Amino acid sequence: MLPTPFAEQVLDLVATIPAGRVLTYGDVAERLGSRAPRAVGTALARFGGGAPWWRVVRAGGLLPPGHEVRAAELLRAEGIAVIRSANGPRVDLENYRWRSAG
DNA sequence: AAGCTGACTCGCT
DNA sequence: GAGCGAGCCAGCT
């Protein structure tokens, strides 16, 4: 399967996220002028292999379902503190959320 | 063309 | 703070 144009946009943007910073699915979608965070997740699920998918987290800083452990390790390796909560591991968006345009 | 599914999000309890 | 339900968009069958 070839990446859809939307998926390519997602991968391209995710690739620009600096190490030590994170973005939410909603942020990625919004930066692409879209309102489909779910499509962002799908794109990373299918084609995220070559992109820093762990820098994309759910709203509230929650890690991607089914990839919490893997993402937590990679994030910690970049200096991002992963906090454990009942609903899953999460990062502090206030401190690590990436803002390239303010 | 119509319907189903999904690495989501927001509002309420 | 944590759990449940409805809403939205893009892709696939």
Side-chain angles (χ1 to χ4, degrees), chain A residues 16-44:
Chain A
T16 69
I17 304 176
R21 295 287 154 204
V22 300
L23 230 50
T24 69
Y25 291 98
D27 287 340
V28 175
E30 195 165 337
R31 279 166 183 275
L32 295 179
S34 172
R35 301 271 290 165
R38 303 205 59 153
V40 174
T42 302
L44 288 177

Side-chain angles (χ1 to χ4, degrees), chain A residues 2-91:
Chain A
L2 266 64
T4 65
F6 183 80
E8 287 188 11
Q9 290 282 70
V10 172
L11 297 177
D12 192 55
L13 176 56
V14 171
T16 69
I17 304 176
R21 295 287 154 204
V22 300
L23 230 50
T24 69
Y25 291 98
D27 287 340
V28 175
E30 195 165 337
R31 279 166 183 275
L32 295 179
S34 172
R35 301 271 290 165
R38 303 205 59 153
V40 174
T42 302
L44 288 177
R46 296 188 66 69
F47 314 106
W53 55 265
W54 58 93
R55 292 177 194 154
V56 183
V57 301
R58 293 206 275 159
L62 287 169
L63 273 45
H67 298 258
E68 301 92 340
V69 181
R70 191 88 184 91
E73 289 181 25
L74 292 162
L75 289 170
R76 284 184 189 278
E78 298 183 351
I80 296 180
V82 179
I83 307 155
R84 178 195 136 322
S85 65
N87 38 344
R90 70 184 185 191
V91 302

